[in-house]
Every structure is written in C-alpha cells, then in structure tokens.
Amino acid sequence: MNDIFYDILNRVKEKGYKLTPQRKAVVLAILNHDHMHLNTEEIYALVKEEYPKIGLATVYRTLIVLDELDVITKMNFDDGCIRYEINSETHQHHHLICRNCGKVIEVMEDLLDDIEAMVEEKYQFKIIDHNLKIYGLCKHCLDNQ
Amino acid sequence: MNDIFYDILNRVKEKGYKLTPQRKAVVLAILNHDHMHLNTEEIYALVKEEYPKIGLATVYRTLIVLDELDVITKMNFDDGCIRYEINSETHQHHHLICRNCGKVIEVMEDLLDDIEAMVEEKYQFKIIDHNLKIYGLCKHCLDNQ
DNA sequence: TAAAAAATGTCATTCATTGTCCATATCTCC
DNA sequence: GGAGATATGGACAATGAATGACATTTTTTA
C-alpha cells in the first residue's frame, strides 16, 4: 500500500506537478477506500475530515491531474456523476451492475482476449484500454423477489 | 425501415402512451440517423427542421419514454452528454472509441459468451444487458501520426 | 360535444463541473 | 536555509445538460 502511495507521489512529481498536501490527501483518501467507486463529493467529504480547509474545486482539479497521469480511471455508472477507481495494472476488471439495487460488483477475470485480438486485426485498432459493464440482477435481488 | 418505425409506434401505443406528432418526429429523426449516436440537442435540432414548434423539454421527455420502452439505449462516450441509439435485437454491438480523434466505431461481433457464462455461474448474476467500450487509436490516426 | 386525462411549450431551477482571480505555498537554485 | 519564479489553492461566479412547474393545448372517452 505504501509502495503504491509513494509511487503515485513520484509520478505526480515527475510530470512537473507540485506535491501539495491537498494532492497527497486526495490520493490517500482514494487509496484508503479502494473498490468503493467514490465520486468527487464523497472524496471531498473524506479529505475534509483530515484537511478541513480544502475546497471542492481543488478536489476536482486534483482528480483531473490524477486521471491525466493514469493514476485513476473515470467510471460512469449512469447515476449522474463520475466515479473513480485506482488503476492497478495487475487487475484489469469489469463491473456487474444490478438493475434492481444498483450494487456494483467487480469481476477480476478478464476474458476479453478473443475479442481484443479480433478488433486489433479486423478493425486495425490499437487497443489502449477497455471498459465492460454488465447489467442484470445480483444474487441477493434474485433470491428476495 | 418502415417496419421498424411502425413497430416502435405500436410499442408506444401499447404501453399506454399517446402517439403524438412530436413523438413520431423524434422517432423518425433517430431512425433516419442510425449509427450516428445523436445526443438530445442534436435530435432536437433535427426534429425542429420538420416540426419547428417543438420544445427541448419535449424531446428530453420523449427520449425518457423511448428508453423506458427499450426502443433506444443510452450511451455514454464521456463527452459530457448522453447519446442514444436504436435497439435492434439482432445486432448486439460494441464500440471502439479513438482516444485521438474521438471517432466511434461499431463492432458487430459479440464474442462475450465466455465471460457471460462465467459471470452467470460464478457470480450468480442474471445478465440482462452489457456495454463494452474499447479505447485506443483508430486506423486513420495510427497512419497519420 | 363536453369533461377528464395526458402531453406540450415555456420558463425557471437544479446540480455536477469548470473558469476566474488573487493570495499563498512549493520547488529550484544559490 | 532563504529568496524568487511560478504553479496551486480557495472562494465564488459561471456554464451547461437535464429536470421540474405550470398554464395551455391536444387527445380520449363517455
């Protein structure tokens, strides 16, 4: 965890951005709540606990920087705001979204090799990233209906 | 094409919604510009040519109805607005999005059977729909850089 | 044809996100 | 460690997509 933290701070510095306590606090908040798909307001609230002076716009701006540096990825779960998650190279994952309760489940298996090979060959498209959302009903909602 | 048009009108009627000229005009505009991923403002502009009196809110409301009836699907290409496409049951497709020029390419092949089977079994998740976006560089941008 | 129900058009409002401005903090170089 | 150049933060205004409110118009049904 600490390794990831300092690696991110280094990346910020290397790209010419300054290491301010506000940026550190935002990175920490996201790291400490991984897999929670926080939106900007939620990150703002968390950072405010430790750093009450921070402004909402600063959080927005920091997230733009972190997205640019590939530290985080924007996620859209169609709930009217952008949510973020840490980019860990090792776990390319997908999301199951329950149409009933809205819960988001992460699927760690990739299984997109076939389709990616086909796309690169047939469409001559150089793939950088992908985003798969699967909508349906989660186990809990299936059992309780 | 006409079949699809009248099929949609029937579906609107069957569900108890009224067949107003405004709704017909919105459906026609979308049908006549399939695969163009129009957003609400663009649809509004198109409908206005034929039906200048229509208001923007009516277009928004009509799109909500059509989405509810599964006539169209909301698409989010991360450009700050919702875009729509016709639901044709026969062509479940994915999207390639060029990170350089922003072009959206449709991929007609599905190839998600493996992962869907795994999800249904391992996660006990009843799949209704899916949405796959692949980001990268299109052939044109690769050639011209 | 009239009353009831639903839909439209206009306009105001919401809310996430971004821009502006100036004081302040950070980093570099000495 | 300290000064100076410059990026950054905080506060607030502004933007823009989307929705709400409401009076008016259209459609349905008796």
Side-chain angles (χ1 to χ4, degrees):
Chain A
M1 175 57 97
N2 271 336
D3 291 347
I4 301 178
F5 180 55
Y6 289 114
D7 175 55
I8 292 174
L9 298 192
N10 278 333
R11 242 187 297 174
V12 172
K13 219 171 182 175
E14 279 169 15
K15 291 283 180 175
Y17 293 106
K18 291 179 178 167
L19 257 187
T20 66
Q22 290 91 338
R23 284 178 179 160
K24 288 186 200 172
V26 169
V27 170
L28 260 185
I30 301 176
L31 277 177
N32 287 337
H33 298 80
D34 200 8
H35 307 293
M36 293 203 46
H37 310 111
L38 303 175
N39 65 20
T40 311
E41 290 278 352
E42 289 163 351
I43 294 170
Y44 174 60
L46 284 170
V47 174
K48 234 174 154 45
E49 291 174 9
E50 302 296 320
Y51 201 102
K53 298 181 300 178
I54 200 168
L56 180 56
T58 301
V59 177
Y60 270 102
R61 283 182 294 229
T62 302
L63 293 172
I64 290 172
V65 169
L66 294 178
D67 181 50
E68 202 179 303
L69 299 182
D70 265 328
V71 169
I72 56 178
T73 298
K74 292 185 200 172
M75 283 286 142
N76 196 306
F77 297 122
D78 309 307
D79 63 345
C81 62
I82 299 176
R83 296 180 173 277
Y84 296 90
E85 55 182 36
I86 291 282
N87 269 348
S88 53
E89 321 71 36
T90 49
H91 290 113
Q92 187 65 270
H93 63 273
H94 314 307
H95 294 102
L96 312 182
I97 303 172
C98 180
R99 274 267 166 81
N100 187 244
C101 68
K103 185 165 63 178
V104 176
I105 301 163
E106 298 192 340
V107 174
M108 288 309 174
E109 293 86 351
D110 185 10
L111 293 181
L112 291 188
D113 296 335
D114 285 358
I115 196 168
E116 294 203 336
M118 184 275 289
V119 163
E120 294 233 346
E121 188 187 320
K122 180 167 173 184
Y123 292 85
Q124 299 282 304
F125 190 87
K126 176 68 188 151
I127 296 175
I128 296 174
D129 199 5
H130 62 234
N131 178 337
L132 173 60
K133 290 184 285 191
I134 297 178
Y135 298 94
L137 297 172
C138 71
K139 187 174 188 319
H140 182 264
C141 288
L142 276 173
D143 292 345
N144 295 33
Q145 75 179 358
Chain B
M1 174 59 98
N2 272 336
D3 291 349
I4 302 176
F5 180 56
Y6 289 114
D7 174 56
I8 292 173
L9 297 192
N10 277 335
R11 240 186 298 174
V12 173
K13 218 170 180 174
E14 278 169 15
K15 292 282 179 173
Y17 293 105
K18 292 181 179 161
L19 258 185
T20 66
Q22 290 93 334
R23 284 176 179 161
K24 287 186 199 172
V26 169
V27 170
L28 259 185
I30 301 175
L31 277 178
N32 288 336
H33 299 79
D34 200 9
H35 308 293
M36 292 203 45
H37 310 108
L38 302 175
N39 64 22
T40 312
E41 291 277 352
E42 289 163 350
I43 294 170
Y44 173 60
L46 284 169
V47 174
K48 231 173 155 51
E49 291 173 9
E50 302 295 320
Y51 202 102
K53 299 181 300 178
I54 201 169
L56 180 56
T58 302
V59 177
Y60 270 101
R61 284 181 294 229
T62 302
L63 292 172
I64 290 172
V65 169
L66 294 178
D67 180 49
E68 201 179 303
L69 298 182
D70 264 328
V71 169
I72 57 178
T73 299
K74 292 185 201 173
M75 284 285 142
N76 195 307
F77 297 122
D78 310 306
D79 63 345
C81 62
I82 298 176
R83 296 179 173 278
Y84 296 91
E85 55 182 37
I86 292 281
N87 270 346
S88 53
E89 322 71 38
T90 48
H91 292 113
Q92 186 66 268
H93 64 274
H94 315 307
H95 294 102
L96 313 182
I97 303 172
C98 180
R99 276 267 167 82
N100 186 243
C101 69
K103 186 166 63 180
V104 176
I105 301 162
E106 299 192 339
V107 173
M108 288 310 172
E109 293 85 351
D110 186 9
L111 294 181
L112 292 188
D113 297 335
D114 285 358
I115 194 166
E116 294 203 336
M118 184 274 290
V119 163
E120 294 234 344
E121 187 186 322
K122 179 166 173 185
Y123 292 84
Q124 300 281 305
F125 189 86
K126 176 69 187 147
I127 295 175
I128 295 175
D129 197 5
H130 62 231
N131 178 340
L132 173 61
K133 290 183 285 191
I134 298 179
Y135 298 95
L137 296 171
C138 71
K139 187 175 187 318
H140 183 265
C141 288
L142 277 173
D143 291 345
N144 295 33
Q145 74 180 357

